[in-house]
Amino acid sequence: MPIADFQGTYATDMAKGYPGMQADLSNARDVSSRVIETASVAFGLAVGAGTADGSAKLGGTGYQGITIADKTRSADLYAVGEVAGVMRKGTIWVTADSAVTPASTVTFTTATGAVGAKAVAAGIVAIPGAKFETTAADGALVRVYLG
């Protein structure tokens, strides 16, 4: 229930997280720095390898990891040419691209980087060793363990 006063209306509960936020206080076990190619990449999206060594992009080759939020940036994304933090092992919040449960297979759509539980097919790739830790509806935040 929101709180209202003469200054405005405020939520009584904090958000549990945001896309690309590390989901717990344990250290991320494997984070890589990658230069973003081709197009900007929002926080909390899966990226593949770019064409140059040490680069990443949406629609890239294979799976490199999920972009980590960096709240020192003016926008919630990494622009082309910027170095992005990419989590390969750890726990991170993402926006579900479909309804998910802990029993669902974690997949991502290569063209968009969106993480969900869609069936593996052309352009939809399973993330090896990943598990959903929470249940979420399409478009809701979900916690993903990358193992």
Side-chain angles (χ1 to χ4, degrees):
M1 176 172 198
I3 297 171
D5 63 17
F6 67 92
Q7 292 179 348
T9 302
Y10 307 92
T12 55
D13 298 319
M14 292 177 53
K16 59 185 168 184
Y18 47 84
M21 179 179 151
Q22 188 172 332
D24 58 29
L25 296 177
S26 65
N27 291 329
R29 295 189 319 262
D30 188 355
V31 175
S32 177
S33 296
R34 298 282 186 234
V35 176
I36 298 300
E37 290 185 344
T38 313
S40 298
V41 179
F43 301 155
L45 295 180
V47 291
T51 54
D53 291 344
S55 66
K57 65 180 183 177
L58 296 176
T61 305
Y63 165 75
Q64 291 290 305
I66 296 176
T67 54
I68 300 171
D70 179 352
K71 290 302 187 174
T72 64
R73 300 182 179 281
S74 58
D76 287 347
L77 56 82
Y78 294 102
V80 174
E82 291 184 331
V83 176
V86 177
M87 184 180 286
R88 297 186 291 193
K89 290 189 179 185
T91 308
I92 192 165
W93 289 103
V94 299
T95 302
D97 188 32
S98 57
V100 302
T101 69
S104 303
T105 300
V106 181
T107 61
F108 78 100
T109 304
T110 56
T112 64
V115 177
K118 294 182 177 179
V120 173
I124 300 173
V125 178
I127 299 176
K131 298 176 184 174
F132 291 111
E133 292 189 338
T134 56
T135 299
D138 184 20
L141 278 177
V142 64
R143 186 174 158 142
V144 177
Y145 168 79
L146 304 171

